[in-house]
């Protein structure tokens, strides 16, 4: 592992317990920043309502941290929209946002469009299929953005159980994303969950980034943020355990292909190739790195969209 990454792990990796809620509220009041939570959703009626309810109860009503909860429905055929609205979210359909640009399927498409229908200075993205959801997922990742002025983007890190086995989830991360990052962008080798769907960032950063329309959005965002603002502006926070619906092997294959294509486009820029792989195991003091030797379409930055520029002026 690069010495730079070792230093980053020591200074930019935190636990949710490092920043109590009342400290975050005080920091938010001092800075005047606003926070939008965005849930991209497709046929998630079983889980989206519980997630919205927890965020609203814990971080809007009980503790005034979150300013708006927006569910962007990307074409659900079930009751996702109705359930989310009943739980207290503002629901917007993907196709209603920027209608002059025909929407395409994909998570990245929804996240990109969400910039046009949210007002927060900080955007917090949360997947809508999480089970046994904790408000720590939100407060944990927005915390450094409220207390560390130099931090621009924060990823959640967590255990991902698969069946009864701890830490066996995240198969595409281990088989595709982590090797790619370690070999081509070794500065990002310290991220425990580089493909995780729970992360927060400043609007001022997100509006400058291109968005891969599909599953490559998380990897693309990390790589592009690294080159735009540098490693010290990126961070991660341990929020415990993430439980969600696991996809089958064919779906994982499609995800891996999209991620590889996203990396392929960025590799054309000519970055360092380093034949080593860092993986993580949870030890007594948190996640510990283990380093081993190793024998698609995108949306433009939102600042280039006329409707977004007009909204900012208005």
């Amino acid at each position: 592992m690069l010495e730079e990454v070792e230093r980053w792990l020591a200074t930019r990796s935190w636990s949710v317990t490092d920043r109590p809620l009342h400290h975050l509220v005080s920091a938010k009041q001092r800075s005047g920043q606003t926070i939008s939570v965005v849930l991209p959703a497709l046929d998630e009626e079983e889980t989206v309502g519980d997630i919205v309810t927890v965020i609203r109860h814990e971080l809007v009503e009980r503790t005034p941290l979150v300013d708006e909860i927006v569910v962007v429905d990307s074409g659900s055929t079930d009751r996702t929209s109705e359930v989310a609205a009943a739980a207290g979210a503002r629901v917007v359909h993907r196709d209603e946002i920027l209608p002059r640009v025909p929407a395409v399927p994909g998570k990245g498409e929804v996240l990109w469009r969400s910039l046009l229908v949210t007002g927060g200075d900080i955007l917090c993205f949360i997947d809508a299929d999480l089970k046994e959801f904790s408000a720590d997922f939100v407060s944990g990742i927005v915390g450094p953005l409220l207390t560390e002025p130099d931090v621009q983007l924060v990823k959640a890190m967590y255990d991902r159980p698969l069946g009864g086995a701890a830490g066996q989830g995240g198969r595409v991360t281990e088989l595709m994303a982590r090797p790619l990052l370690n070999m081509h962008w070794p500065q990002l080798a310290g991220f425990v969950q580089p493909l995780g769907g729970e992360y927060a960032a400043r609007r001022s950063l997100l509006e400058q980034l291109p968005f891969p329309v599909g599953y490559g959005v998380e990897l693309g965002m990390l790589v592009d943020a690294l080159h735009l603002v540098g490693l010290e502006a990126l961070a991660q926070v341990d929020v415990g355990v993430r439980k969600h619906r696991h996809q089958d092997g064919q779906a994982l294959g499609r995800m891996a292909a999209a991620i590889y294509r996203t990396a392929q486009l960025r590799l054309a820029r000519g970055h360092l190739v380093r034949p080593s792989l860092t993986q993580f195991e949870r030890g007594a003091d948190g996640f510990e790195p283990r380093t081993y030797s190793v024998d698609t379409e995108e949306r433009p930055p939102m600042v280039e969209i006329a409707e977004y520029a007009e909204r900012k002026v208005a």
Side-chain angles (χ1 to χ4, degrees):
M1 183 181 293
L2 296 175
E3 290 185 10
E4 180 183 4
V5 177
E6 292 179 348
R7 290 193 299 271
W8 178 86
L9 282 169
T11 61
R12 286 291 187 261
S13 292
W14 293 292
S15 167
V16 65
T17 59
D18 292 334
R19 295 176 177 83
L21 266 178
H22 66 279
H23 288 174
L24 298 185
V25 172
S26 296
K28 180 177 186 289
Q29 292 172 342
R30 288 194 302 271
S31 68
Q33 297 178 95
T34 54
I35 298 172
S36 300
V37 176
V38 174
L39 282 74
L42 176 63
D43 295 331
E44 302 294 355
E45 67 176 2
E46 294 184 3
T47 51
V48 68
D50 291 338
I51 297 171
V52 171
T53 296
V54 169
I55 297 172
R56 178 179 54 79
H57 178 67
E58 298 293 333
L59 301 179
V60 177
E61 298 172 349
R62 177 178 293 180
T63 303
L65 187 68
V66 169
D67 295 281
E68 64 174 348
I69 307 169
V70 179
V71 171
V72 183
D73 191 324
S74 59
S76 298
T77 57
D78 65 2
R79 298 182 62 253
T80 291
S81 291
E82 293 87 344
V83 171
R90 177 162 61 92
V91 179
V92 185
H93 195 281
R94 174 199 63 196
D95 297 345
E96 298 171 355
I97 308 170
L98 198 64
R100 73 170 178 84
V101 179
V104 298
K107 179 183 179 182
E109 177 83 354
V110 173
L111 299 183
W112 181 70
R113 290 174 186 262
S114 74
L115 296 182
L116 270 163
V117 293
T118 52
D121 303 303
I122 294 170
L123 274 74
C124 175
F125 299 123
I126 300 291
D127 281 350
D129 65 342
L130 301 189
K131 302 175 182 177
E132 301 177 26
F133 180 77
S134 167
D136 286 350
F137 275 76
V138 174
S139 61
I141 57 179
V142 303
L145 296 167
L146 293 171
T147 62
E148 306 289 334
D150 295 334
V151 172
Q152 297 284 313
L153 183 149
V154 183
K155 297 279 293 189
M157 57 176 167
Y158 34 66
D159 288 311
R160 294 184 66 180
L162 178 62
Q168 294 303 306
R171 290 161 288 174
V172 175
T173 293
E174 299 303 329
L175 296 175
M176 176 62 73
R178 200 179 305 286
L180 281 172
L181 291 174
N182 274 260
M183 289 187 284
H184 297 292
W185 297 281
Q187 286 178 296
L188 298 174
F191 278 94
V192 175
Q193 297 291 353
L195 299 185
E198 291 69 47
Y199 49 98
R202 301 191 192 281
R203 177 179 293 273
S204 57
L205 170 64
L206 293 172
E207 66 186 11
Q208 298 181 70
L209 299 177
F211 276 61
V213 298
Y215 286 122
V217 62
E218 275 84 23
L219 182 135
M221 191 176 294
L222 265 188
V223 171
D224 293 337
L226 173 69
H227 290 286
L228 188 63
V229 295
L231 182 61
E232 285 302 303
L234 312 180
Q236 61 185 351
V237 174
D238 188 350
V239 296
V241 179
R242 182 186 196 268
K243 297 182 180 180
H244 66 111
R245 182 187 68 252
H246 292 283
Q247 301 194 56
D248 62 32
Q250 289 189 336
L252 294 178
R254 294 189 293 272
M255 184 184 300
I259 290 165
Y260 179 78
R261 176 58 176 162
T262 299
Q264 188 180 47
L265 291 172
R266 283 151 180 79
L267 285 171
R269 304 170 186 166
H271 298 307
L272 174 67
V273 175
R274 188 168 186 260
S276 63
L277 173 69
T278 299
Q279 296 178 317
F280 292 86
E281 297 175 8
R282 186 183 282 280
D285 298 320
F287 287 101
E288 299 175 354
R290 302 284 189 272
T291 301
Y292 305 88
S293 296
V294 174
D295 294 29
T296 191
E297 180 181 5
E298 297 190 5
R299 294 305 189 190
M302 188 57 78
V303 290
E304 298 177 9
I305 301 299
E307 289 88 340
Y308 186 75
E310 292 169 0
R311 195 196 73 155
K312 292 187 72 175
V313 170

